[in-house]
Amino acid sequence: MPTISIQGVGWDLSDATRSDAALRRFLHGLPGVDQVGAEARAAALGTRSIKTTAKAQAIDLAIRMVDLTTLEGQDTPGKVRALASKAMRPDPTDPTCPATAAVCVYPDLVGVAKETLTDGGRRDSDVHIAAVATAFPSGRAALDIKLADTADAVEAGADEIDMVIDRGAFLSGRYLQVLEEIVAVREACTQGERSAHLKVIFETGELQTYDNVRRASWLAMMAGAHFIKTSTGKVQPAATLPVTMIMLEAVRDFREATGQMVGVKPAGGIRSTKDAIKYLVMVNEVAGPDWLDPDWFRFGASTLLNDLLMQRTKMRTGRYSGPDYVTLD
């Protein structure tokens, strides 16, 4: 790993991960977050408006960025089949409507999603299959169980794994334990010829401070995360504009330091087209246009897609669709 400068101190990133003490010094040496300033900037970015033509493009981009999600104890194979079909063809009446980025389910339902997205033995869609793992949403399980959970999901056909960090370990300052667990889960994402991308969930509503969000972001990226993700959607507050802004600053700074891009996924509580566009403006302004791509930015959502489809229809036809136009998730 390269050498970077944090507040005038040079760090070799590989040295920073060699001990708990070194990792603590590095993470606590990151610049502190000005809470008032961060919230003010996020609020200001949220007031930006975009022109009608740009709005149409933003809606289609947001649809392509959605990880269409169902993570309930009452999930059934039928519900997952319906969700996967909707992910492939969000608006069956309009062939120009793009598919979503992924469908996100529990590991035991990955096979059902794969079957729905497969035709004649081959994947008939670019929609990815994401699976939550590592004792989602609490993360309270032994490491061997978390690794088995991950391996089972990848073997069943998951293209992406959304893992949760051990917040208790993180908040107790056991940073190296958290980092080593992420490294181990990333290794478990490779099963034979199959390899899944790893999204690391912080559960920012439990991290207590913006400084902790910045530290968790750097820790996960140093451990090899492909994406960093705000929340499970099970704890409030979930995704917020200030938290997402801090994570976008982290991935921007990490690329400047290392040359490596890492994606960002806000999840939980993003329900309207208006909110989605606020996030896209923030991505462009904070991280830069390179992140305006489903490979580098996602929305974890269940109901957001419905509003995007209704707004898309309004722009295309000049009228709002009826309440039964889109399927209920």
Side-chain angles (χ1 to χ4, degrees):
M1 286 190 178
T3 299
I4 65 172
S5 178
I6 300 292
Q7 294 188 329
V9 178
W11 282 94
D12 182 314
L13 293 186
S14 58
D15 286 341
T17 61
R18 286 181 179 170
S19 70
D20 245 327
L23 187 54
R24 170 181 287 276
R25 284 195 301 273
F26 175 81
L27 294 176
H28 285 259
L30 293 169
V33 178
D34 175 354
Q35 179 177 344
V36 174
E39 291 175 354
R41 188 182 182 208
L45 289 171
T47 64
R48 299 279 180 87
S49 61
I50 60 175
K51 296 180 180 179
T52 301
T53 52
K55 183 177 179 181
Q57 295 171 349
I59 289 173
D60 276 8
L61 178 58
I63 291 172
R64 292 172 50 227
M65 289 174 164
V66 168
D67 282 1
L68 192 56
T69 302
T70 183
L71 297 170
E72 302 297 335
Q74 62 185 349
D75 286 346
T76 64
K79 183 177 182 181
V80 170
R81 280 192 286 269
L83 203 71
S85 295
K86 183 174 180 178
M88 287 189 290
R89 292 175 288 276
D91 184 351
T93 70
D94 182 4
T96 69
C97 182
T100 70
V103 59
C104 184
V105 297
Y106 276 113
D108 62 313
L109 291 166
V110 166
V112 176
K114 182 180 179 181
E115 180 183 345
T116 307
L117 297 170
T118 300
D119 180 29
R122 65 179 179 83
R123 285 286 286 276
D124 193 39
S125 168
D126 292 331
V127 177
H128 294 168
I129 301 170
V132 295
T134 66
F136 178 96
S138 69
R140 309 307 315 169
L143 180 58
D144 59 345
I145 294 174
K146 294 180 180 182
L147 298 181
D149 193 25
T150 301
D152 287 348
V154 176
E155 195 169 315
D159 305 299
E160 302 169 359
I161 295 295
D162 289 26
M163 73 166 285
V164 288
I165 67 167
D166 183 336
R167 279 88 73 193
F170 181 88
L171 292 171
S172 298
R174 303 196 306 273
Y175 299 131
L176 192 60
Q177 176 185 330
V178 178
L179 182 139
E180 290 175 344
E181 188 168 283
I182 296 170
V183 171
V185 173
R186 173 163 171 162
E187 291 175 355
C189 285
T190 300
Q191 297 297 311
E193 295 182 355
R194 300 207 77 256
S195 182
H197 277 198
L198 178 63
K199 305 194 199 90
V200 178
I201 308 171
F202 301 148
E203 199 67 285
T204 51
E206 294 184 345
L207 292 191
Q208 302 173 357
T209 69
Y210 292 147
D211 285 342
N212 277 341
V213 173
R214 177 167 286 170
R215 290 167 188 151
S217 298
W218 274 84
L219 186 154
M221 292 187 293
M222 292 162 69
H226 296 102
F227 262 77
I228 52 177
K229 178 178 171 182
T230 62
S231 327
T232 64
K234 306 297 185 184
V235 172
Q236 297 300 321
T240 67
L241 286 170
V243 158
T244 305
M245 185 182 74
I246 290 164
M247 293 168 63
L248 287 166
E249 289 173 345
V251 298
R252 177 202 64 200
D253 295 345
F254 189 76
R255 183 171 75 164
E256 289 178 1
T258 68
Q260 300 172 23
M261 279 184 72
V262 177
V264 175
K265 178 179 173 180
I270 305 171
R271 297 185 175 89
S272 72
T273 300
K274 183 177 180 181
D275 286 342
I277 290 175
K278 289 179 181 179
Y279 279 90
L280 295 182
V281 170
M282 178 172 285
V283 171
N284 186 65
E285 294 292 324
V286 176
D290 286 352
W291 271 268
L292 287 173
D293 186 289
D295 285 343
W296 302 111
F297 193 79
R298 300 280 184 86
F299 294 106
S302 56
T303 59
L304 171 62
L305 180 60
N306 287 346
D307 192 67
L308 289 167
L309 293 174
M310 287 190 286
Q311 295 296 329
R312 188 177 192 274
T313 300
K314 169 64 165 59
M315 297 195 72
R316 186 166 56 92
T317 67
R319 62 184 184 276
Y320 281 106
S321 54
D324 58 350
Y325 177 76
V326 294
T327 57
L328 296 176
D329 298 324

